[in-house]
Amino acid sequence: MAVEPARFRDVLSAVPTSVVVVTAIDRGEPVGLAVGTFLSVSLDPPLVGFLPAASSTSFPRIRDAGAFCANVLTVNQQHVSKAFATSGADKFAGLSWRPAPVTGSPVLEGVAAWIDCRISTLHEAGDHFIVIGEVADLAAAPGEQPLVFHRSRYMGSAPGDQASRGAVTPPARPE
Ligand SMILES: Cc1cc2nc3c(=O)[nH]c(=O)nc-3n(C[C@H](O)[C@H](O)[C@H](O)COP(=O)(O)O)c2cc1C
């Protein structure tokens, strides 16, 4: 039975996700995108992953960098999510960041947690990639409330305050 993209998106939007900004340094420039597909994969060895769309313009640059930092946004960072979900924007404008200890990938100021990784494997999966990273260093800020995305909205936001995601991403996104 064929699954219609609109139905797929609608049903899968019922699954709440975290909002993580995956960053890297490509040829001296910071790059990044917002993802809802960040996941913990393995403890021994320590592995995490995320799923960038094949259409992402930032992911090829992250792949070239060979490393990334996963920045877990807090409930106060909706504006950061929106900036990093806008393809072609000057995403780092007005943001403070520091290099992660091992890979130098950007750690954004005020995040709930950051995970500094080297890319270990890359798999194709439909119109997305599955990227696995080996964790090199990580830390969390105790007491920070994470930003949660559910039914195309940031939880805690007013009705109508939708993410820019729907406007900028192709249909049938799996997350
Ligand atoms: C909450 C949220 C979750 C998202 N999850 C993903 C994701 O898992 N993978 C992805 O490729 N894009 C995801 N996006 C969309 C990208 O952030 C968006 O397409 C962005 O414009 C890509 O930028 P780029 O072209 O610079 O790579 C998400 C956006 C939002 C707001």
Side-chain angles (χ1 to χ4, degrees):
M1 192 177 79
V3 175
E4 268 182 49
R7 183 169 167 76
F8 183 96
R9 283 192 94 167
D10 182 51
V11 171
L12 273 293
S13 77
V15 180
T17 73
S18 62
V19 185
V20 168
V21 172
V22 176
T23 60
I25 297 289
D26 177 46
R27 295 171 190 89
E29 265 186 38
V31 294
L33 78 156
V35 302
T37 51
F38 179 74
L39 70 159
S40 168
V41 174
S42 159
L43 184 59
D44 184 19
L47 303 175
V48 295
F50 69 100
L51 281 73
S55 60
S56 162
T57 59
S58 296
F59 178 63
R61 302 183 67 186
I62 295 170
R63 185 181 53 206
D64 288 354
F68 64 88
C69 184
N71 291 269
V72 182
L73 299 190
T74 71
V75 75
N76 300 317
Q77 291 181 309
Q78 276 187 33
H79 61 291
V80 179
S81 172
K82 287 175 184 172
F84 280 88
T86 306
S87 200
D90 182 2
K91 297 179 174 187
F92 286 83
L95 284 187
S96 297
W97 59 272
R98 63 179 196 280
V102 178
T103 74
S105 308
V107 174
L108 305 181
E109 191 172 50
V111 291
W114 56 265
I115 301 109
D116 189 19
C117 306
R118 293 189 190 89
I119 293 178
S120 64
T121 48
L122 182 63
H123 307 272
E124 281 184 27
D127 55 10
H128 280 62
F129 293 104
I130 301 172
V131 182
I132 305 295
E134 176 140 20
V135 178
D137 200 356
L138 73 173
E144 287 290 355
Q145 224 191 307
L147 183 57
V148 174
F149 195 68
H150 180 233
R151 288 227 172 272
S152 308
R153 285 213 173 83
Y154 297 104
M155 289 196 65
S157 61
D161 183 15
Q162 297 221 340
S164 52
R165 183 180 183 188
V168 295
T169 57
R173 189 170 289 294
E175 64 292 330

